[in-house]
Amino acid sequence: AQTVTQSQPEMSVQEAETVTLSCTYDTSESDYYLFWYKQPPSRQMILVIRQEAYKQQNATENRFSVNFQKAAKSFSLKISDSQLGDAAMYFCAYIRVTDKLIFGTGTRLQVFP
Amino acid sequence: GAGVSQSPSNKVTEKGKDVELRCDPISGHTALYWYRQSLGQGLEFLIYFQGNSAPDKSGLPSDRFSAERTGGSVSTLTIQRTQQEDSAVYLCASSLGLAGAGTDTQYFGPGTRLTVL
């Protein structure tokens, strides 16, 4: 069965600095998708970034980028120039083409001024 | 609509009562998902609707849980004879559903926080 592991329950970063959130997953599939979702106190899950497993190039969305290591089954999220509004729970998620999203347990990110 | 909406935002009920939670997906999205998020946990898949196909109910924790999707749009998640362990945030998500569950980004609603006393 597929699993997603986020080994950092909490992380903190100073405003304007860079932080990296870790995620590993276990699968025997070759075709799948990976996501990072952000959940602020409002509870709404917001898509941060998406990576297709068949793409070698790491996805980037403004200040957010990933380091996708397919062989190592690793999918870390890097947040550059951290802002106070980045404080939230971050969830890593995996999905096969014909299956359902599997989420990690989340990392709570605190941003200090 | 502009996004996925859910109602009520919060629901407090007594143990043994039935509750209904509503989800309005983004207009034009054919796929709809329900998840449960217990305190301090990730999301647990409950059920998935895709167009007119039979729903994937593999995540429902017991037969007290059921869901319907009327007219391919609004969905209702019903929990019968609620128990304290049902207390959680119930999140709904929708996606275009054009190319299969995996290829479409899911957009989430704000959730319903259910508290069973």
Side-chain angles (χ1 to χ4, degrees), chain A residues 30-47:
Chain A
S30 60
D31 190 12
Y32 52 87
Y33 299 78
L34 296 163
F35 303 83
W36 278 98
Y37 278 92
K38 169 185 176 181
Q39 187 180 41
S42 66
R43 295 198 308 246
Q44 187 143 13
M45 299 282 280
I46 302 165
L47 177 68

Side-chain angles (χ1 to χ4, degrees), chain A residues 32-33 35 37 39 41-47 50 89 91 95-106 108, chain B residues 4 9-10 35 37 40-43 45 56 58 89 91 100-106 108-113:
Chain A
Y32 52 87
Y33 299 78
F35 303 83
Y37 278 92
Q39 187 180 41
S42 66
R43 295 198 308 246
Q44 187 143 13
M45 299 282 280
I46 302 165
L47 177 68
R50 164 192 168 112
M89 283 289 290
F91 291 95
I95 192 169
R96 291 187 304 175
V97 173
T98 57
D99 208 343
K100 55 193 73 73
L101 271 174
I102 299 170
F103 286 85
T105 52
R108 181 174 301 281
Chain B
V4 178
S9 177
N10 291 282
Y35 296 88
Q37 184 177 25
Q41 298 297 311
L43 276 68
F45 166 79
D56 176 353
S58 60
V89 174
L91 289 160
T103 57
D104 298 321
T105 297
Q106 295 180 26
F108 285 79
T112 294
R113 181 180 298 281

Side-chain angles (χ1 to χ4, degrees), chain A residues 30-89:
Chain A
S30 60
D31 190 12
Y32 52 87
Y33 299 78
L34 296 163
F35 303 83
W36 278 98
Y37 278 92
K38 169 185 176 181
Q39 187 180 41
S42 66
R43 295 198 308 246
Q44 187 143 13
M45 299 282 280
I46 302 165
L47 177 68
V48 174
I49 202 163
R50 164 192 168 112
Q51 174 81 43
E52 292 86 349
Y54 63 83
K55 288 187 178 178
Q56 293 186 337
Q57 186 172 7
N58 289 323
T60 299
E61 287 289 341
N62 301 315
R63 297 183 295 108
F64 299 87
S65 62
V66 298
N67 183 5
F68 173 48
Q69 301 288 330
K70 191 171 184 179
K73 297 178 184 175
S74 171
F75 183 61
S76 60
L77 174 70
K78 184 171 84 171
I79 306 174
S80 304
D81 186 26
S82 297
Q83 301 176 359
L84 294 177
D86 295 335
M89 283 289 290

Side-chain angles (χ1 to χ4, degrees), chain B residues 6 8-10 28 44 50-52 61 66 74 76 87 90 102 105 111 114:
Chain B
Q6 292 186 245
S9 177
N10 291 282
E44 172 191 7
Q50 171 58 63
N52 295 322
S66 63
V74 172
T76 302
S87 295
Y90 289 83
T105 297
L114 175 65

